[in-house]
Amino acid sequence: MMDKEKIAELFKTYAVAFRKKDPEACGECYTRNAEYIACGMAPLHGRAAIVRLHREIFEAGYKLDSMATDEVRVSGDLAYVRQTMKVSGATTHVMIVMQCDAKGRWLVSAEAEVTAA
């Protein structure tokens, strides 16, 4: 399987986990030391903090309407991804940096989100 296909599979796994409201499975899509930045909140550091955020998102009743990958660029063991997501009707633009580990598994290492006005 090619890198872009592996990245697409990871996003499918994430979408399934989000729709099942499984914060731990969502967290498994991130590196242990991942960073997460979104407007209106302090940056999060580490997978455990990202799992807690997902738990809060699910408890608040948010749902994933759609997730589209707009661009993927791979260079060695790093990749840059742009996505457009709709969560509970709000459009969010996402910039993601991914890392490929020694086993060939791609994970999110940094994510920044901006909700469209």
Side-chain angles (χ1 to χ4, degrees):
M1 188 180 303
M2 302 298 293
D3 289 327
K4 288 184 180 182
E5 293 170 324
K6 290 179 182 179
I7 290 168
E9 284 299 314
L10 179 74
F11 291 132
K12 286 179 188 175
T13 298
Y14 176 83
V16 168
F18 198 106
R19 288 188 172 109
K20 288 183 176 180
K21 301 182 186 284
D22 185 340
E24 288 78 16
C26 288
E28 288 297 316
C29 296
Y30 293 81
T31 63
R32 289 189 187 280
N33 60 348
E35 295 186 64
Y36 181 97
I37 301 169
C39 290
M41 60 184 272
L44 300 176
H45 302 280
R47 184 184 289 157
I50 293 168
V51 168
R52 283 192 302 275
L53 172 66
H54 280 83
R55 190 171 289 115
E56 292 171 11
I57 288 169
F58 301 144
E59 288 172 358
Y62 288 98
K63 66 180 185 81
L64 178 63
D65 300 323
S66 65
M67 183 169 67
T69 299
D70 305 315
E71 179 180 10
V72 177
R73 293 186 185 200
V74 177
S75 180
D77 65 351
L78 294 174
Y80 160 81
V81 180
R82 281 187 316 103
Q83 289 184 328
T84 303
M85 297 176 68
K86 284 195 179 196
V87 177
S88 294
T91 300
T92 302
H93 300 286
V94 186
M95 294 179 67
I96 300 168
V97 176
M98 301 188 72
Q99 273 183 294
C100 186
D101 66 15
K103 295 179 182 177
R105 182 171 181 218
W106 285 93
L107 297 170
V108 175
S109 63
E111 180 174 340
E113 295 186 8
V114 174
T115 302

